[in-house]
């Protein structure tokens, strides 16, 4: 069974930092692209950042460029999202997802497996 488990969420003050982790099992981790998505109350789910299978291609939403950094450690079957200079508008449930068939995709429709989500709350 494929399983993705997010961790590292919490409540922080504006300007603070969090590091999210996504641990994967049940798949060949190096064969999947991984994306982080977020969904705030009353809003559509949106892509935050994507990293390709090899890690050579990345995409960052304009709203997080310069503040968030994605990395992957295939040996540990884990993807990390370092979030710095957090803003209240970053408040959302963050999900990691794996795409088995796409080398690189910005569409959530391309992702096959999803984690349960981790809550990030940024207070002002």
């Amino acid at each position: 069974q494929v399983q993705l488990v997010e961790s590292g969420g919490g409540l922080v003050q504006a300007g603070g930092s969090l590091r999210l982790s996504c641990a994967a099992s049940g798949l060949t981790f190096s064969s999947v692209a991984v994306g982080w998505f977020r969904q705030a109350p009353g809003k559509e789910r949106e892509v935050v950042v994507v990293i390709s299978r090899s890690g050579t291609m990345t995409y960052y939403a304009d709203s997080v460029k310069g503040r968030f950094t994605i990395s992957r450690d295939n040996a540990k079957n884990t993807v990390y999202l370092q979030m710095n200079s957090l803003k209240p508008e970053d408040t959302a449930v963050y999900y990691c997802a794996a795409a088995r068939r796409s080398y690189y995709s910005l569409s959530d429709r391309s992702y096959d497996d999803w984690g349960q989500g981790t809550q990030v709350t940024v207070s002002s």
Side-chain angles (χ1 to χ4, degrees), residues 5-18:
V5 180
E6 303 98 331
S7 62
L11 191 156
V12 298
Q13 295 184 20
S17 298
L18 286 173

Side-chain angles (χ1 to χ4, degrees), residues 27-88:
L27 52 76
T28 302
F29 192 65
S30 61
S31 297
V32 297
V34 176
W36 284 95
F37 300 81
R38 67 185 182 187
Q39 187 166 23
K43 296 184 178 181
E44 296 291 322
R45 183 169 58 197
E46 62 178 349
V47 62
V48 178
V49 57
V50 171
I51 188 166
S52 65
R53 296 172 181 175
S54 64
T56 59
M57 294 179 61
T58 57
Y59 163 84
Y60 294 88
D62 288 342
S63 60
V64 305
K65 285 182 179 177
R67 300 189 297 119
F68 291 11
T69 303
I70 190 171
S71 62
R72 66 187 297 166
D73 187 338
N74 288 345
K76 295 182 178 180
N77 285 7
T78 302
V79 169
Y80 305 97
L81 182 62
Q82 179 66 45
M83 307 187 296
N84 299 325
S85 301
L86 284 162
K87 304 175 180 180

